[in-house]
Structure formats: structure tokens, C-alpha cells
RNA sequence: GGGGAGGUUCCCGAGUGGUCAAAGGGGGCAGACUGUAAAUCUGUUGGCUACGCCUUCGAAGGUUCAAAUCCUUCUCUCCCCA
């Protein structure tokens, strides 16, 4: 089995391949240039986007050459695959900005620097560069003729949209993505595309187009759709997606997200989202019941460390330990908890509990704060508050701070000056 | 362009003049249980200066003592025909 490809398969990235034997052989023979597409629809990726790039990492490490294709052109249109609604369109400037942010985030797993000769060479390109200047008539004549509408309609992703409606622009997405593959083959000798299994149809279409127009055999490989065993969408929380941008999703929360994955998911996620050797993961997978928490800690630490750096991972780990151990807040790493500063004089005259909570991110209104207090979920510096009329004053202070707690896991810090 | 069906609180979805801040479900939050898990159970889920008041049922007007519910216009979505 080809180097790199075996790792990818072994770690659970493999769902299906257009021609596994041929691809294996090709990858055995030497470096293969391959690509993964990413949509620059936001300024931050979330963890769900990362699956292909972890795979990319393993292949790059094995000496193959990755291309990350930013869908600047295609995202101006919208991909119907798996979406129930049409995407909003973005301006060229927004896309360029987003692409910059994304590259930075991808750099945590893929090396774009090009100064490490022992691994494959990675580049990032934007398909707007070739799609943006397409001539409609020429495109229809040269590319469009290879596509069968009947065939396209038979794809599941389009079928779904047939129910709700599918605009003509979206319908063209497959042509553009196929054209990407052809272009990358011509310009960069790219011979493989990877993507989520929902992209299978588009990938196959690209392969066919490349065969017809360039007479070359290229390959496609898809990853299983990563789901959570509890059926919830991977990488989504109540508050939204688990973003990689620390401004949008703090390293502590990031750590906690992975620390709290379902038992059944730990092993799979360790393989997908960490670089730990398989033997080590196999050991961790043996853990049961309470012991499995160790595996979750490893997962959380490793992934946090990849995305946010070891220092942040360490901080998050310590903060979590402190927050959930018996000593309570004493050992909490305060710097990782969100905070606001209030004036000492204000506290001296006393602030109502509800008012205080409502001013933090813990509660969005006094009503919510009232509920929290009434239901026994509020405590300040580890003193439970159950009286909604309680006035908080300087007697609650500890080191000039108030540590507000909501429920078991959410903290907020009030610094008094 | 013609015809039809619709837009309800975070989401889905009841409600068709007062008993509606609006059923039910989902989700969320909190509590119990626990392993910072899952499952389960309980409570809660517009705002506020809180036994009352204010703002919500696509938007703006109107009818009425009283409208999410009736009328008018506008707007958006979906379906059928062209």
C-alpha cells in the first residue's frame, strides 16, 4: 500500500475512491499532486472543515504535493450539495480577506512555507483566477457539452434541491468544479481530488471532464461524512460552529468541546484530528468507563495544541482541571475566563445579583438571570446565591474579583478597580 | 404574465375576533443522577421598575370596546400553467 495513502485509510479518512488500485500504484511510484477545495464563505473555518486537511497533512508528510483550492469563484455562486438553501453571494474583496484568514488556519496542519524539502510542496490557489475571466460561449462550447443534464438530475444532491428549488446558477456548480480539476491538472499536474463524500458526484464529474478534454486519468477520493454518535452535527454547538479563530471560539471552549465528546467518538476522533501514532491511539481506545476520560483529555489537548499552540492547550487543560476538580475556583487559570471590569464605588453600594449576571455574557437578560438564580445555578466565588434580591457588595470580593458561575461549567470574571 | 398556497415566538408547527406571551415537539438553560459522558427524570424557555405593565404572530394602514385571527395595500417564499 502506498505510503501516505495507507495512513489516510488506516486513520479513517477513506470512504471511497474512483480507482484505488491505480491510485495506490501511482502514489507508490512517486509524489502525486492532489487538491482539496475549501469555500471562503467565512473568515474562519470550523472543525468540520478540517477533516480533508488533516488527510492532506498525512499525504504531504508522505511526500505528496497538496493544493488547497479556495473557491473564490465558485463561492460567488453557491454549492447546492447538501445545502437546503441557496448561499449568499460574496464580493471579491470579502473572499480575498477570508482566503487570507483561512490560509493562516490551514497552516496549522499543512506546511505552505515550501522550505521543508523532506515533505511535499503545498500551495494555495484561488479558482477565481481562472473562473473569473471565463468566456461564457467558449465555456459552454468546450466544457458544457460534456455534461448531461439527465445525469446531473439523478444526483442525490440535486434531487434534494428539486424539492425546494434550484436556481440555474447553482445548477452550474458542477461544471465549474469539474473545470477546476481540469485546470489544476493542466497547470499543476494535479491528478487527484479529495473531498467529503457529499462531493463524490462533483469529483467524478471532474475526473470525466479531465479524461475527455485532456485524455488523462485522474483520481478521486472521498472521506466519510464525520458525524457524532449522538446524531448531532459535528462541530456544532448550541451557540454555533466550533470555529478555529480564537476570537470566535476561545481555546478553552475549544478544548472543552473535545473534552466532552461522546465515548463512542473518542477513538475515531483521535485518529482523524490528532497526529498521534496509531499504537498510542490503540492504547487509549482500550480505556473504558471513567478511564475513557483520559483519552478525551488527550484528544482535547492534542487538537487544541495543533490549532492554538501548546501554550494555549496547556492553559486550557489547567483551567479545565481547576474548574472541575474539588478545590474549585482556587486553582482556576483566570486569564482564560472572559471578564469585565467594574468600578469599586459601584460595588460598594451593592449590585443586585440579577443585574450583575445580566451584565455578563452568562445571561442575556435579567429574566434569564432570575431563572438561573431561582433554579440554583448561580454562585459567586463558590457561594451559591438563591435569593434574587440579594445585593452583591464588597463583602463577596476575593482578591478584588468576583467569579460568577452559571451552571456547572460556565464562568465569568468581574474585576473590581 | 395567469392561477393557487403560504409567511406565527431560537427551529418545526398549532391557533382563525376576546379565555393568546400564544398548544405540541425540537433545541436551549437550570436541577437530580453521573465520568466535565450518554440515557433518564424534573423545572424553565419574550422583556421589564414584575400579583402589574410593555413589545411580539412578514410590513404598513384600517374596521372593532377588543385582532396572530377581519379588510386594504405592499413585500417575500413555494406550487401549477405560460
Amino acid at each position: 500500500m502506498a505510503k501516505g495513502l495507507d495512513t489516510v485509510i488506516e486513520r479513517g479518512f477513506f470512504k471511497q475512491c474512483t480507482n484505488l488500485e491505480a491510485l495506490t500504484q501511482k502514489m507508490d511510484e512517486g509524489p502525486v499532486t492532489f487538491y482539496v477545495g475549501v469555500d471562503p464563505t467565512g473568515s474562519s473555518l470550523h472543525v468540520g472543515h478540517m477533516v480533508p486537511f488533516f488527510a492532506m497533512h498525512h499525504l504531504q508528510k508522505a511526500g505528496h504535493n497538496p493544493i488547497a483550492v479556495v473557491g473564490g469563484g465558485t463561492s460567488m455562486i453557491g454549492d447546492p450539495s447538501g445545502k437546503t438553501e441557496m448561499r449568499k453571494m460574496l464580493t471579491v474583496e470579502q473572499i480575498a480577506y477570508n482566503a487570507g484568514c483561512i490560509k493562516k488556519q490551514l497552516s496549522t496542519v499543512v506546511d505552505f512555507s515550501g522550505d521543508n524539502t523532506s515533505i511535499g510542496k503545498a500551495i494555495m490557489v484561488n479558482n477565481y483566477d481562472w473562473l473569473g475571466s471565463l468566456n461564457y460561449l467558449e465555456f459552454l462550447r468546450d466544457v458544457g457539452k460534456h455534461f448531461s443534464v439527465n445525469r446531473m438530475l439523478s444526483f442525490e444532491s440535486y434531487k434534494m434541491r428539486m424539492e425546494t428549488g434550484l436556481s440555474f446558477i447553482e445548477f452550474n456548480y458542477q461544471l465549474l468544479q469539474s473545470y477546476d480539476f481540469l485546470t489544476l491538472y493542466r497547470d499543476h499536474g494535479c491528478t487527484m481530488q479529495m473531498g467529503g463524500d457529499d462531493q463524490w458526484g462533483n469529483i467524478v464529474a471532474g475526473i470525466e471532464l479531465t479524461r475527455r478534454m485532456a485524455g488523462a486519468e485522474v483520481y478521486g477520493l472521498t472521506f466519510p461524512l464525520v458525524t457524532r454518535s449522538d446524531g448531532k452535527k459535528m462541530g456544532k454547538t448550541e451557540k454555533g460552529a466550533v470555529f478555529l479563530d480564537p476570537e470566535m471560539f476561545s481555546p478553552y471552549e475549544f478544548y472543552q468541546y473535545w473534552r466532552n465528546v461522546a465515548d463512542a467518538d473518542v477513538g475515531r476522533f483521535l485518529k482523524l484530528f490528532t497526529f498521534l501514532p496509531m499504537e498510542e491511539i490503540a492504547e487509549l481506545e482500550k480505556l473504558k468507563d471513567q478511564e475513557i476520560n483520559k483519552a478525551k483529555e488527550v484528544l482535547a489537548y492534542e487538537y487544541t495544541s495543533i490549532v492554538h499552540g501548546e501554550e494555549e492547550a496547556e492553559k486550557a487543560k489547567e483551567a479545565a482541571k481547576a474548574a472541575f476538580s474539588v478545590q474549585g475556583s482556587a486553582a482556576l487559570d483566570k486569564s482564560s475566563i472572559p471578564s469585565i471590569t467594574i468600578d469599586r464605588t459601584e460595588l460598594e453600594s451593592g449590585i443586585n445579583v440579577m443585574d450583575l449576571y445580566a451584565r455578563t455574557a452568562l445571561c442575556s437578560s435579567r429574566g434569564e438571570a432570575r431563572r438561573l438564580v431561582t433554579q440554583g445555578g448561580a454562585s459567586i466565588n463558590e457561594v451559591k446565591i438563591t435569593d434574587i434580591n440579594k445585593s452583591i457588595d464588597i463583602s463577596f470580593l476575593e482578591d478584588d474579583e468576583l467569579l460568577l458561575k452559571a451552571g456547572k461549567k460556565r464562568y465569568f470574571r468581574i474585576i473590581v478597580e
Side-chain angles (χ1 to χ4, degrees):
Chain A
M1 182 57 70
K3 195 169 172 250
L5 196 54
D6 54 350
T7 312
V8 166
I9 293 172
E10 181 180 46
R11 286 188 165 253
F13 289 99
F14 183 83
K15 169 79 180 183
Q16 54 182 334
C17 178
T18 50
N19 188 342
L20 189 56
E21 271 175 48
L23 181 62
T24 305
Q25 197 189 341
K26 194 167 171 60
M27 292 184 92
D28 265 337
E29 286 165 4
V32 164
T33 301
F34 65 99
Y35 95 93
V36 171
V38 58
D39 268 309
T41 36
S43 65
S44 175
L45 297 173
H46 56 75
V47 293
H49 289 127
M50 290 304 281
V51 178
F53 296 100
F54 272 90
M56 187 178 261
H57 166 95
H58 294 298
L59 292 180
Q60 180 180 32
K61 219 170 143 193
H64 302 290
N65 307 315
I67 303 176
V69 177
V70 173
T74 27
S75 69
M76 294 176 81
I77 289 176
D79 175 11
S81 309
K83 299 287 185 305
T84 46
E85 272 172 46
M86 201 168 141
R87 258 184 221 173
K88 52 179 182 292
M89 304 186 189
L90 299 174
T91 64
V92 182
E93 293 75 38
Q94 279 175 308
I95 290 168
Y97 172 77
N98 291 346
C101 300
I102 289 168
K103 185 169 185 179
K104 223 164 113 193
Q105 297 182 344
L106 289 184
S107 301
T108 59
V109 291
V110 178
D111 185 355
F112 289 103
S113 68
D115 50 15
N116 187 344
T117 48
S118 62
I119 59 172
K121 183 171 172 290
I123 55 168
M124 185 165 184
V125 295
N126 185 341
N127 68 7
Y128 183 76
D129 294 345
W130 57 85
L131 295 180
S133 54
L134 273 184
N135 176 301
Y136 192 56
L137 290 179
E138 281 175 21
F139 183 75
L140 279 183
R141 182 191 63 202
D142 299 335
V143 178
K145 70 172 176 192
H146 296 295
F147 288 82
S148 149
V149 171
N150 295 19
R151 173 107 194 271
M152 278 167 84
L153 288 177
S154 71
F155 285 136
E156 201 51 45
S157 55
Y158 286 99
K159 263 189 198 159
M160 236 160 74
R161 289 303 304 271
M162 293 301 287
E163 310 280 323
T164 54
L166 177 66
S167 83
F168 182 68
I169 345 183
E170 290 180 90
F171 191 62
N172 280 271
Y173 191 86
Q174 191 176 85
L175 276 74
L176 296 178
Q177 193 174 324
S178 300
Y179 187 70
D180 281 350
F181 204 166
L182 177 68
T183 306
L184 289 167
Y185 170 76
R186 284 177 171 162
D187 297 353
H188 299 281
C190 176
T191 48
M192 177 182 50
Q193 178 180 184
M194 303 196 297
D197 201 50
D198 54 335
Q199 294 298 315
W200 180 255
N202 290 338
I203 292 173
V204 171
I207 289 169
E208 275 180 31
L209 184 69
T210 307
R211 179 169 52 76
R212 290 187 191 185
M213 291 187 65
E217 184 176 12
V218 292
Y219 310 91
L221 188 154
T222 60
F223 312 117
L225 205 60
V226 179
T227 52
R228 300 196 340 178
S229 58
D230 59 9
K232 280 187 192 153
K233 226 179 167 176
M234 161 76 195
K236 296 273 188 211
T237 67
E238 313 69 51
K239 291 176 192 75
V242 180
F243 287 108
L244 302 188
D245 183 342
E247 295 296 314
M248 297 164 83
F249 207 82
S250 77
Y252 176 74
E253 287 176 285
F254 189 88
Y255 180 93
Q256 282 301 314
Y257 181 82
W258 298 102
R259 172 62 186 77
N260 283 319
V261 296
D263 290 7
D265 293 330
V266 189
R268 200 156 47 96
F269 289 175
L270 277 168
K271 288 180 204 154
L272 291 173
F273 302 121
T274 73
F275 301 140
L276 293 176
M278 287 301 284
E279 305 83 66
E280 205 169 313
I281 293 172
E283 284 304 311
L284 290 168
E285 277 189 296
K286 285 182 193 158
L287 301 172
K288 287 258 174 342
D289 301 319
Q290 272 195 54
E291 291 286 293
I292 203 167
N293 284 323
K294 285 190 186 133
K296 291 184 187 180
E297 273 165 27
V298 173
L299 169 66
Y301 180 82
E302 289 296 324
Y303 200 175
T304 308
S305 158
I306 289 168
V307 175
H308 298 295
E310 270 181 50
E311 199 182 317
E312 287 296 332
E314 200 61 50
K315 265 165 72 180
K317 188 180 176 181
E318 287 310 313
K321 233 187 211 164
F324 293 102
S325 68
V326 272
Q327 303 102 318
S329 63
L332 250 178
D333 174 16
K334 309 227 158 130
S335 62
S336 61
I337 301 168
S339 65
I340 55 167
T341 307
I342 64 167
D343 212 57
R344 185 169 204 101
T345 51
E346 198 181 349
L347 192 66
E348 274 166 358
S349 50
I351 304 173
N352 175 273
V353 227
M354 292 189 289
D355 287 328
L356 195 60
Y357 268 90
R359 280 168 65 171
T360 70
L362 261 24
C363 295
S364 59
S365 69
R366 269 172 52 88
E368 201 178 319
R370 160 189 292 269
R371 252 170 264 135
L372 185 73
V373 173
T374 314
Q375 295 179 140
S379 58
I380 296 178
N381 284 340
E382 296 305 312
V383 178
K384 196 178 231 185
I385 313 287
T386 47
D387 177 9
I388 54 168
N389 294 316
K390 189 87 180 171
S391 179
I392 306 304
D393 56 33
I394 44 173
S395 67
F396 282 84
L397 274 181
E398 241 173 58
D399 296 335
D400 283 337
E401 284 191 6
L402 295 173
L403 186 66
L404 307 203
K405 193 175 173 190
K408 288 172 196 158
K409 300 182 187 176
R410 294 151 59 221
Y411 286 93
F412 201 94
R413 207 156 61 113
I414 308 247
I415 302 163
V416 178
E417 277 181 353

